[in-house]
Short mmCIF file of all heavy atoms in Angstrom, two decimals:
data_model
loop_
_atom_site.label_atom_id
_atom_site.label_comp_id
_atom_site.label_asym_id
_atom_site.label_seq_id
_atom_site.Cartn_x
_atom_site.Cartn_y
_atom_site.Cartn_z
N ALA N 18 98.28 44.82 101.49
CA ALA N 18 99.63 44.64 102.02
C ALA N 18 100.58 44.29 100.89
O ALA N 18 100.25 43.56 99.98
CB ALA N 18 99.62 43.53 103.06
N ALA N 19 101.79 44.84 100.89
CA ALA N 19 102.76 44.57 99.83
C ALA N 19 103.19 43.12 99.88
O ALA N 19 103.38 42.56 100.97
CB ALA N 19 103.96 45.50 99.98
N PRO N 20 103.35 42.53 98.71
CA PRO N 20 103.69 41.10 98.69
C PRO N 20 105.14 40.85 99.09
O PRO N 20 106.02 41.66 98.80
CB PRO N 20 103.47 40.72 97.23
CG PRO N 20 103.68 42.00 96.48
CD PRO N 20 103.27 43.10 97.37
N ALA N 21 105.40 39.76 99.72
CA ALA N 21 106.77 39.41 100.09
C ALA N 21 107.45 38.80 98.87
O ALA N 21 106.81 38.27 97.99
CB ALA N 21 106.76 38.40 101.24
N LEU N 22 108.79 38.91 98.81
CA LEU N 22 109.47 38.42 97.63
C LEU N 22 109.87 36.96 97.78
O LEU N 22 111.03 36.59 97.73
CB LEU N 22 110.71 39.26 97.36
CG LEU N 22 110.40 40.59 96.67
CD1 LEU N 22 111.67 41.37 96.41
CD2 LEU N 22 109.68 40.35 95.36
N SER N 23 108.87 36.13 97.93
CA SER N 23 109.14 34.70 97.96
C SER N 23 109.01 34.17 96.54
O SER N 23 109.03 34.95 95.60
CB SER N 23 108.12 34.01 98.87
OG SER N 23 106.84 34.28 98.35
N GLY N 24 108.90 32.89 96.37
CA GLY N 24 108.73 32.32 95.03
C GLY N 24 107.52 32.93 94.34
O GLY N 24 107.58 33.35 93.20
N ALA N 25 106.42 33.00 95.12
CA ALA N 25 105.24 33.61 94.53
C ALA N 25 105.53 35.07 94.17
O ALA N 25 105.06 35.58 93.18
CB ALA N 25 104.07 33.52 95.52
N GLY N 26 106.35 35.69 94.99
CA GLY N 26 106.70 37.09 94.75
C GLY N 26 107.43 37.25 93.44
O GLY N 26 107.11 38.12 92.63
N TRP N 27 108.45 36.40 93.19
CA TRP N 27 109.20 36.52 91.94
C TRP N 27 108.29 36.30 90.74
O TRP N 27 108.41 36.96 89.72
CB TRP N 27 110.34 35.47 91.90
CG TRP N 27 111.51 35.88 92.76
CD1 TRP N 27 111.99 35.24 93.86
CD2 TRP N 27 112.33 37.05 92.57
NE1 TRP N 27 113.05 35.89 94.38
CE2 TRP N 27 113.29 37.03 93.61
CE3 TRP N 27 112.35 38.09 91.65
CZ2 TRP N 27 114.27 38.00 93.74
CZ3 TRP N 27 113.33 39.07 91.79
CH2 TRP N 27 114.28 39.01 92.83
N ARG N 28 107.36 35.36 90.91
CA ARG N 28 106.45 35.11 89.79
C ARG N 28 105.62 36.35 89.51
O ARG N 28 105.36 36.72 88.38
CB ARG N 28 105.55 33.91 90.10
CG ARG N 28 105.96 32.67 89.33
CD ARG N 28 105.02 31.51 89.59
NE ARG N 28 105.32 30.85 90.87
CZ ARG N 28 104.38 30.57 91.77
NH1 ARG N 28 103.13 30.87 91.55
NH2 ARG N 28 104.70 29.99 92.91
N ARG N 29 105.22 36.99 90.59
CA ARG N 29 104.42 38.21 90.42
C ARG N 29 105.24 39.28 89.70
O ARG N 29 104.75 39.99 88.85
CB ARG N 29 103.97 38.74 91.76
CG ARG N 29 102.79 37.98 92.31
CD ARG N 29 102.23 38.64 93.54
NE ARG N 29 101.46 39.83 93.17
CZ ARG N 29 100.67 40.47 94.02
NH1 ARG N 29 100.58 40.05 95.26
NH2 ARG N 29 100.01 41.54 93.66
N LEU N 30 106.52 39.37 90.07
CA LEU N 30 107.36 40.36 89.41
C LEU N 30 107.47 40.07 87.93
O LEU N 30 107.46 40.96 87.10
CB LEU N 30 108.76 40.38 90.05
CG LEU N 30 108.94 41.38 91.19
CD1 LEU N 30 110.35 41.32 91.73
CD2 LEU N 30 108.62 42.78 90.72
N TRP N 31 107.58 38.76 87.58
CA TRP N 31 107.69 38.42 86.17
C TRP N 31 106.44 38.84 85.41
O TRP N 31 106.51 39.33 84.30
CB TRP N 31 107.93 36.90 86.02
CG TRP N 31 107.87 36.49 84.58
CD1 TRP N 31 106.98 35.67 84.01
CD2 TRP N 31 108.76 36.93 83.54
NE1 TRP N 31 107.22 35.53 82.67
CE2 TRP N 31 108.32 36.31 82.35
CE3 TRP N 31 109.87 37.77 83.49
CZ2 TRP N 31 108.95 36.49 81.14
CZ3 TRP N 31 110.49 37.95 82.27
CH2 TRP N 31 110.04 37.32 81.11
N ARG N 32 105.28 38.68 86.12
CA ARG N 32 104.05 39.07 85.46
C ARG N 32 104.06 40.58 85.21
O ARG N 32 103.38 41.08 84.35
CB ARG N 32 102.86 38.70 86.32
CG ARG N 32 102.46 37.26 86.23
CD ARG N 32 100.98 37.17 86.08
NE ARG N 32 100.37 37.85 87.22
CZ ARG N 32 99.41 37.32 87.95
NH1 ARG N 32 98.97 36.13 87.69
NH2 ARG N 32 98.90 38.00 88.95
N LEU N 33 104.83 41.27 86.01
CA LEU N 33 104.90 42.71 85.85
C LEU N 33 106.04 43.12 84.95
O LEU N 33 106.54 44.23 85.05
CB LEU N 33 105.06 43.39 87.21
CG LEU N 33 103.95 43.09 88.21
CD1 LEU N 33 104.34 43.64 89.57
CD2 LEU N 33 102.65 43.70 87.76
N LYS N 34 106.47 42.20 84.05
CA LYS N 34 107.67 42.52 83.27
C LYS N 34 107.49 43.77 82.45
O LYS N 34 108.44 44.52 82.22
CB LYS N 34 108.04 41.34 82.38
CG LYS N 34 106.94 40.92 81.40
CD LYS N 34 107.36 39.68 80.66
CE LYS N 34 106.29 39.17 79.71
NZ LYS N 34 105.11 38.64 80.41
N TRP N 35 106.27 44.01 81.97
CA TRP N 35 106.06 45.23 81.20
C TRP N 35 106.35 46.45 82.05
O TRP N 35 106.97 47.41 81.60
CB TRP N 35 104.61 45.28 80.70
CG TRP N 35 104.36 44.32 79.62
CD1 TRP N 35 103.80 43.09 79.73
CD2 TRP N 35 104.69 44.49 78.24
NE1 TRP N 35 103.74 42.47 78.51
CE2 TRP N 35 104.29 43.31 77.58
CE3 TRP N 35 105.29 45.51 77.51
CZ2 TRP N 35 104.47 43.14 76.22
CZ3 TRP N 35 105.46 45.34 76.15
CH2 TRP N 35 105.04 44.16 75.52
N GLY N 36 105.85 46.37 83.25
CA GLY N 36 106.08 47.49 84.16
C GLY N 36 107.56 47.67 84.47
O GLY N 36 108.07 48.79 84.51
N MET N 37 108.25 46.55 84.65
CA MET N 37 109.68 46.64 84.94
C MET N 37 110.41 47.26 83.76
O MET N 37 111.26 48.12 83.91
CB MET N 37 110.27 45.24 85.21
CG MET N 37 109.57 44.49 86.31
SD MET N 37 109.79 45.29 87.91
CE MET N 37 111.47 44.90 88.26
N GLY N 38 110.06 46.77 82.54
CA GLY N 38 110.68 47.34 81.35
C GLY N 38 110.42 48.83 81.27
O GLY N 38 111.32 49.65 81.01
N GLY N 39 109.16 49.18 81.51
CA GLY N 39 108.80 50.60 81.49
C GLY N 39 109.59 51.39 82.50
O GLY N 39 110.10 52.49 82.21
N ALA N 40 109.72 50.80 83.69
CA ALA N 40 110.46 51.51 84.74
C ALA N 40 111.91 51.72 84.33
O ALA N 40 112.49 52.78 84.60
CB ALA N 40 110.38 50.73 86.05
N ALA N 41 112.48 50.70 83.68
CA ALA N 41 113.88 50.83 83.24
C ALA N 41 114.03 51.98 82.26
O ALA N 41 114.93 52.83 82.39
CB ALA N 41 114.34 49.52 82.62
N ILE N 42 113.13 52.04 81.28
CA ILE N 42 113.23 53.12 80.29
C ILE N 42 113.03 54.47 80.97
O ILE N 42 113.73 55.44 80.69
CB ILE N 42 112.17 52.94 79.18
CG1 ILE N 42 112.39 51.62 78.46
CG2 ILE N 42 112.23 54.10 78.20
CD1 ILE N 42 111.41 51.37 77.34
N PHE N 43 112.07 54.50 81.88
CA PHE N 43 111.79 55.75 82.56
C PHE N 43 113.02 56.20 83.34
O PHE N 43 113.38 57.39 83.35
CB PHE N 43 110.60 55.58 83.50
CG PHE N 43 110.16 56.85 84.14
CD1 PHE N 43 109.65 57.88 83.38
CD2 PHE N 43 110.29 57.05 85.51
CE1 PHE N 43 109.25 59.07 83.95
CE2 PHE N 43 109.88 58.23 86.10
CZ PHE N 43 109.36 59.24 85.33
N LEU N 44 113.66 55.24 83.98
CA LEU N 44 114.87 55.57 84.73
C LEU N 44 115.92 56.18 83.80
O LEU N 44 116.58 57.16 84.13
CB LEU N 44 115.43 54.30 85.39
CG LEU N 44 116.34 54.53 86.59
CD1 LEU N 44 115.56 55.25 87.68
CD2 LEU N 44 116.86 53.20 87.12
N ALA N 45 116.03 55.57 82.62
CA ALA N 45 117.00 56.09 81.65
C ALA N 45 116.66 57.53 81.28
O ALA N 45 117.53 58.40 81.19
CB ALA N 45 117.02 55.21 80.41
N ILE N 46 115.37 57.79 81.09
CA ILE N 46 114.97 59.17 80.72
C ILE N 46 115.31 60.12 81.86
O ILE N 46 115.87 61.20 81.63
CB ILE N 46 113.46 59.22 80.42
CG1 ILE N 46 113.14 58.36 79.19
CG2 ILE N 46 113.01 60.64 80.18
CD1 ILE N 46 111.68 58.29 78.86
N VAL N 47 114.98 59.71 83.07
CA VAL N 47 115.26 60.59 84.21
C VAL N 47 116.75 60.85 84.32
O VAL N 47 117.19 61.99 84.51
CB VAL N 47 114.73 59.97 85.51
CG1 VAL N 47 115.22 60.77 86.71
CG2 VAL N 47 113.22 59.93 85.50
N LEU N 48 117.53 59.77 84.20
CA LEU N 48 118.98 59.93 84.32
C LEU N 48 119.51 60.89 83.25
O LEU N 48 120.34 61.76 83.53
CB LEU N 48 119.67 58.57 84.18
CG LEU N 48 119.80 57.80 85.49
CD1 LEU N 48 120.34 56.40 85.23
CD2 LEU N 48 120.72 58.54 86.45
N SER N 49 119.02 60.72 82.03
CA SER N 49 119.55 61.59 80.97
C SER N 49 119.17 63.03 81.24
O SER N 49 119.94 63.95 80.97
CB SER N 49 119.05 61.14 79.60
OG SER N 49 117.67 61.36 79.49
N ALA N 50 117.99 63.24 81.78
CA ALA N 50 117.61 64.61 82.08
C ALA N 50 118.47 65.19 83.19
O ALA N 50 118.95 66.32 83.12
CB ALA N 50 116.13 64.67 82.49
N VAL N 51 118.71 64.38 84.21
CA VAL N 51 119.52 64.85 85.33
C VAL N 51 120.95 65.13 84.88
O VAL N 51 121.56 66.12 85.26
CB VAL N 51 119.52 63.80 86.48
CG1 VAL N 51 120.60 64.11 87.48
CG2 VAL N 51 118.15 63.77 87.15
N CYS N 52 121.47 64.22 84.04
CA CYS N 52 122.87 64.38 83.63
C CYS N 52 123.00 65.21 82.37
O CYS N 52 124.06 65.18 81.72
CB CYS N 52 123.49 63.00 83.37
SG CYS N 52 123.39 61.92 84.79
N ALA N 53 121.98 65.95 82.01
CA ALA N 53 122.00 66.71 80.77
C ALA N 53 123.28 67.52 80.56
O ALA N 53 123.85 67.48 79.48
CB ALA N 53 120.78 67.61 80.69
N PRO N 54 123.74 68.27 81.56
CA PRO N 54 124.93 69.08 81.32
C PRO N 54 126.13 68.25 80.89
O PRO N 54 127.02 68.76 80.22
CB PRO N 54 125.20 69.76 82.66
CG PRO N 54 123.94 69.65 83.43
CD PRO N 54 123.24 68.43 82.93
N TRP N 55 126.16 66.95 81.27
CA TRP N 55 127.34 66.16 80.93
C TRP N 55 127.17 65.31 79.69
O TRP N 55 128.13 65.03 79.01
CB TRP N 55 127.72 65.26 82.12
CG TRP N 55 128.02 66.09 83.33
CD1 TRP N 55 129.15 66.81 83.55
CD2 TRP N 55 127.16 66.31 84.45
NE1 TRP N 55 129.07 67.47 84.74
CE2 TRP N 55 127.84 67.18 85.33
CE3 TRP N 55 125.89 65.87 84.82
CZ2 TRP N 55 127.30 67.61 86.52
CZ3 TRP N 55 125.35 66.30 86.01
CH2 TRP N 55 126.05 67.17 86.84
N ILE N 56 125.93 64.89 79.43
CA ILE N 56 125.81 63.99 78.29
C ILE N 56 125.33 64.69 77.02
O ILE N 56 125.46 64.16 75.93
CB ILE N 56 124.86 62.81 78.58
CG1 ILE N 56 123.44 63.31 78.84
CG2 ILE N 56 125.35 62.00 79.74
CD1 ILE N 56 122.45 62.18 78.87
N ALA N 57 124.79 65.89 77.12
CA ALA N 57 124.34 66.56 75.90
C ALA N 57 125.56 67.00 75.09
O ALA N 57 126.45 67.65 75.62
CB ALA N 57 123.49 67.79 76.26
#
Side-chain angles (χ1 to χ4, degrees):
Chain N
L22 280 181
S23 59
W27 283 117
R28 255 183 281 131
R29 281 188 76 168
L30 268 181
W31 173 244
R32 279 226 303 229
L33 302 171
K34 58 185 178 291
W35 287 98
M37 304 295 286
I42 300 181
F43 186 65
L44 202 61
I46 296 177
V47 171
L48 273 173
S49 68
V51 167
C52 303
W55 300 284
I56 63 169

